[in-house]
């Protein structure tokens, strides 16, 4: 409360008590300013009038019903004033255009709705017929496409099989690689078994012995013929290997940048190797003129004269001799031996790291013999000391056995087995494992001998689903695609079955319990046979962890 004096008359005052009501709500901030010197804040003035309150009617106004507004549209038709002219006394209206309308049969609501239902049923019948025709046409088109695809796939498989047989026949007629000669010896063994079975079935006594003697003579002739083919193939492959070796030395340095582009860089060593490679390829040509040959050998002479040693002196002497003989008009057939000696000595010159430094990183035998001591093993069959890469190491072996050459000779002499199909299966398996990008290691420890044992003894050389026995159509894939491939996590299927198997998400629902039990039994057998693989893989993972730490 606040007391104040009010002037009532000209000379009298009266004390009046003023009641000030404080507002119970915070005043809104309407803006203002602040004195930067004194720090006093001044707010803009506002009304102190208490807002008027609505009287409480005892009814809850804030509810869903009062806040929801419903709209309703109702069309209204305005009145249209019309008039009708009727006949009366003194007025004639013609009725020529009038129509006589008689009431028809009264239609009840039930009859009306029944007729509409019948019409709807008719419409639905025609629509369903149209829809069924479309469905059948789509199914017929899908069937036609499916049959065409199956026929095309069957034709493709037939062509692939014929192409494989043709290539295999061609490889037998013109063998060039080790696998080709394996196929040739395998075909020889099959032929010998058929002939021996025929002789045992048809002949007895002295005739049987004479037939076996003739068979032995034919086998000897065939082996000699295969040996002659092998000598020719070795000579041709040796020349190709030399050119590949020199081309590899002459390649520039390559590395991939962060944007995926490959950068190439030539060094002084690669340029030197490329120069020597071009010279070697030039002196190896036979169909060049005498002037071109003279230019090539003189270029070679200038190149080798850069280094003075016994090898270069011998090359220079041979070059001078060839130039002298060519000046004397000696026939080229008489110069073949001399030219071959020059090529051989120049190849020895190229393989010397002192004259060609780039070759040091590609040679199988390093210049420092001390590097060979830790990787040399003794072959008890041929009694030679060879590097560890020349020995096959199966996954279940405990010691180093015979070298590759001894194993190949033993196979050609006795068993004569062809492992080309198993090598193809192993190659496809490694390619598929690389595509997973999950750092698989076991598949690269398995040799084709191990895969051959698994296919023949554990899986029976047939698909686990369809029992297909054509090894050209079989592939090995993961049983559980979430885990790394191993002999105890694999299944042998055809290519189409493998594609369908890898699309499965739940193997327990896709296959029956008996089939899963049979596959698990094969996995247990494989894990027992390849018991050393887990130890080897743990060693590899430990090495990788150490390398990453370093």
């Amino acid at each position: 409360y606040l007391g104040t004096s009010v002037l009532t008359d000209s000379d009298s005052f009266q004390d009046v008590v003023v009641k000030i009501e404080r507002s119970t709500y915070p005043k809104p901030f309407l803006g203002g300013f602040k004195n930067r010197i004194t720090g006093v804040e001044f707010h803009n003035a506002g009304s102190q009038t208490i807002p008027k309150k609505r009287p409480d009617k005892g009814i809850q106004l804030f509810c869903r019903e009062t806040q929801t507004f419903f709209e309703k549209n109702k069309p209204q038709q305005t009145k249209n004033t019309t008039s009708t002219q009727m006949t009366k006394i003194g007025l004639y209206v013609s009725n020529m255009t009038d129509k006589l309308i008689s009431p028809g049969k009264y239609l009840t609501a039930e009859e009306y709705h029944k007729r509409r239902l019948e019409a709807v049923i008719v419409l639905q019948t025609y629509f369903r017929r149209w829809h069924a025709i479309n469905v059948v046409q789509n199914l017929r088109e899908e069937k036609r496409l499916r049959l065409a695809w199956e026929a095309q796939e069957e034709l493709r498989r037939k062509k692939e099989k014929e192409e494989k047989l043709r290539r295999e026949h061609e490889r037998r007629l013109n063998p060039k690689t080790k696998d080709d000669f394996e196929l040739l010896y395998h075909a020889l063994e099959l032929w010998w078994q058929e002939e021996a079975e025929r002789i045992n079935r048809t002949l007895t006594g002295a005739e049987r012995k004479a037939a076996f003697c003739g068979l032995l003579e034919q086998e000897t002739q065939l082996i000699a013929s295969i040996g002659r083919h092998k000598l020719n193939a070795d000579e041709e492959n040796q020349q190709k290997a030399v050119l590949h070796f020199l081309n590899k030395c002459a390649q520039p340095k390559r590395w991939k940048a962060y944007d995926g582009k490959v950068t190439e860089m030539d060094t002084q060593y690669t340029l030197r190797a490329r120069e020597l490679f071009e010279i070697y390829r030039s002196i190896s040509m036979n169909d060049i003129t005498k002037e071109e040959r003279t230019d090539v050998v003189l270029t070679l002479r200038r190149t080798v004269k850069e280094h003075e040693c016994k090898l270069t002196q011998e090359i220079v002497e041979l070059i001078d001799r060839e130039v002298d003989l060519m000046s004397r008009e000696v026939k080229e057939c008489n110069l073949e031996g001399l030219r071959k000696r020059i090529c051989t000595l120049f190849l020895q010159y190229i393989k010397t790291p002192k004259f060609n430094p780039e070759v040091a990183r590609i040679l199988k035998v390093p210049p420092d013999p001390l590097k060979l001591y830790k990787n040399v093993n003794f072959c008890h069959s041929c009694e030679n000391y060879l590097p560890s890469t020349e020995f096959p190491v199966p996954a279940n072996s405990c010691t180093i056995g015979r070298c590759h050459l001894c194993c190949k000779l033993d196979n050609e002499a006795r068993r004569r087995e062809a492992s080309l199909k198993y090598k193809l299966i192993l190659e496809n398996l490694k390619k598929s494992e690389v595509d997973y990008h999950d750092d698989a290691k076991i598949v690269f420890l398995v040799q084709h001998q191990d895969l051959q044992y698994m296919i023949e003894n554990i899986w029976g050389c047939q698909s686990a689903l369809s029992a297909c026995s054509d090894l050209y159509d079989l592939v090995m894939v993961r049983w559980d695609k979430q885990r790394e491939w191993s002999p105890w996590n694999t299944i042998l299927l055809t290519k189409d079955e493998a594609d369908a198997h890898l699309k499965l998400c739940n193997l327990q629902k896709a296959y029956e319990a008996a089939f899963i039990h049979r596959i698990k039994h094969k996995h247990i057998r494989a894990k027992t046979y390849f018991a050393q693989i887990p130890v080897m893989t743990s060693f590899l993972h430990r090495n990788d962890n150490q390398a990453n730490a370093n």
Side-chain angles (χ1 to χ4, degrees), residues 368-377:
D368 187 7
L370 296 177
K371 296 182 180 180
L372 291 174
Y373 289 163
K374 295 182 179 179
N375 295 324
V376 172
N377 296 281

Side-chain angles (χ1 to χ4, degrees), residues 349-366:
Y349 174 87
I350 294 175
K351 289 185 178 181
T352 305
K354 181 180 178 181
F355 310 135
N356 186 14
E358 188 66 20
V359 82
R361 64 180 183 87
I362 303 178
L363 285 175
K364 291 185 178 180
V365 180

Side-chain angles (χ1 to χ4, degrees), residues 23 60 99 110 112 122 159-160 197 205 216 219 245 267 329 344 352 366 388 424 432 435 443 473 475 504:
S23 60
Q60 184 181 1
K99 295 181 180 179
E110 294 181 357
Y112 172 77
V122 171
K159 287 184 178 179
E160 285 183 357
E197 183 182 358
L216 179 61
E219 183 183 6
F245 173 80
T267 63
E329 302 296 334
T344 305
T352 305
S388 57
L424 292 176
S432 64
D435 294 337
V443 68
D473 293 336
V475 293
L504 298 177

Side-chain angles (χ1 to χ4, degrees), residues 425 428 455 461-463 468-476 492-495:
I425 295 176
N428 293 331
I455 294 176
C461 291
Q462 61 183 9
S463 170
C468 176
S469 59
D470 188 2
L471 292 179
Y472 280 121
D473 293 336
L474 296 180
V475 293
M476 263 198 167
L492 185 64
L493 300 170
T494 62
K495 296 179 180 178

Side-chain angles (χ1 to χ4, degrees), residues 11 24 28 48 129 138 146 159 204 266 272 361 414:
D11 55 353
T24 59
Q48 294 183 356
R129 179 177 180 272
N138 292 336
R146 177 69 183 184
K159 287 184 178 179
T204 57
D266 278 316
R272 171 70 175 179
R361 64 180 183 87
R414 296 192 300 170

Side-chain angles (χ1 to χ4, degrees), residues 377-386 390-391 399-404 406-407:
N377 296 281
F378 180 71
C379 178
H380 294 278
S381 180
C382 60
E383 297 183 351
N384 290 327
Y385 289 94
L386 301 170
E390 297 296 328
F391 292 86
T399 59
I400 298 294
R402 295 176 298 180
C403 62
H404 285 291
C406 295
C407 294

Side-chain angles (χ1 to χ4, degrees), residues 181 184-185 188-189 191-192 215-231 412-414 416:
F181 285 101
L184 204 56
Y185 278 108
L188 175 63
E189 180 65 19
W191 169 80
W192 188 89
L215 179 61
L216 179 61
E217 184 67 24
Q218 293 180 7
E219 183 183 6
T220 306
Q221 294 177 1
L222 292 175
I223 292 175
S225 176
I226 294 174
R228 288 191 296 270
H229 280 287
K230 186 180 291 185
L231 291 176
E412 293 174 358
R414 296 192 300 170
R416 294 173 182 170

